[in-house]
Amino acid sequence: MEFRLEVVIVPVREVDASLQFYRDGCGFALDVDYHPTDAFRVVQLTPPGSGCSIQIGLGLTQAEPGSLRNLYLAVSDIEGARADFIDRGVEVGPLRHKTPFDGWNGATADGADPERRDYATLASFSDPDDNTWVLQEIGFTA
């Protein structure tokens, strides 16, 4: 039996502003924008290379806009991904890395992990509703 996570609903206030943020700022592909009534709209977007999409819209969830915390986006080059987001107008926090890596207890230090180990380097950003995201580097090759 296989289980695949395919969609995460992101609770937002302004669908069009969020669509612009995720499509233009984050570079997510717009898969569908379905709006059959004034009370229901589903917009699905997929990060490049991802098997999981996000949905924003009206009538999708009762979760409060901005209540989603720490949804991870795995990237192979966190410096490049961070620079791309910033170039697109997304405010991304500074790079930080887990320390000590072995036996990590939640502490971080500034900058990328000196050894560029998988899961060690992080950077955070928020969408217009303050839903929070974490970029995490996995699979870096120099």
Side-chain angles (χ1 to χ4, degrees):
M1 175 82 54
E2 289 185 4
F3 297 90
R4 294 181 309 272
L5 180 64
E6 294 194 2
V7 174
V8 174
I9 295 175
V10 179
V12 301
R13 283 179 192 81
E14 301 275 338
V15 178
D16 289 324
S18 295
L19 168 58
Q20 182 177 3
F21 174 82
Y22 286 110
R23 183 191 58 211
D24 302 339
C26 298
F28 291 13
L30 175 62
D31 302 324
V32 69
D33 187 348
Y34 179 64
H35 193 196
T37 71
D38 289 342
F40 183 81
R41 181 177 179 189
V42 60
V43 177
Q44 182 167 307
L45 302 114
T46 304
S50 180
C52 185
S53 302
I54 65 166
Q55 289 182 351
I56 58 175
L58 300 172
L60 299 180
T61 182
Q62 293 180 353
E64 287 294 318
S67 63
L68 184 68
R69 293 286 172 260
N70 298 323
L71 193 59
Y72 277 65
L73 278 177
V75 296
S76 60
D77 176 5
I78 198 166
E79 290 173 330
R82 182 177 181 273
D84 182 55
F85 274 35
I86 290 170
D87 287 347
R88 293 169 169 271
V90 176
E91 292 182 28
V92 182
L95 296 180
R96 63 191 190 279
H97 66 277
K98 296 174 179 180
T99 187
F101 185 76
D102 296 323
W104 185 60
N105 65 0
T108 59
D110 293 342
D113 177 61
E115 297 177 44
R116 301 302 281 268
R117 291 171 285 199
D118 286 350
Y119 309 100
T121 304
L122 312 163
S124 298
F125 67 96
S126 298
D127 74 4
D129 289 293
D130 204 30
N131 292 297
T132 62
W133 292 77
V134 178
L135 297 174
Q136 183 174 55
E137 188 171 74
I138 302 171
F140 177 78
T141 56

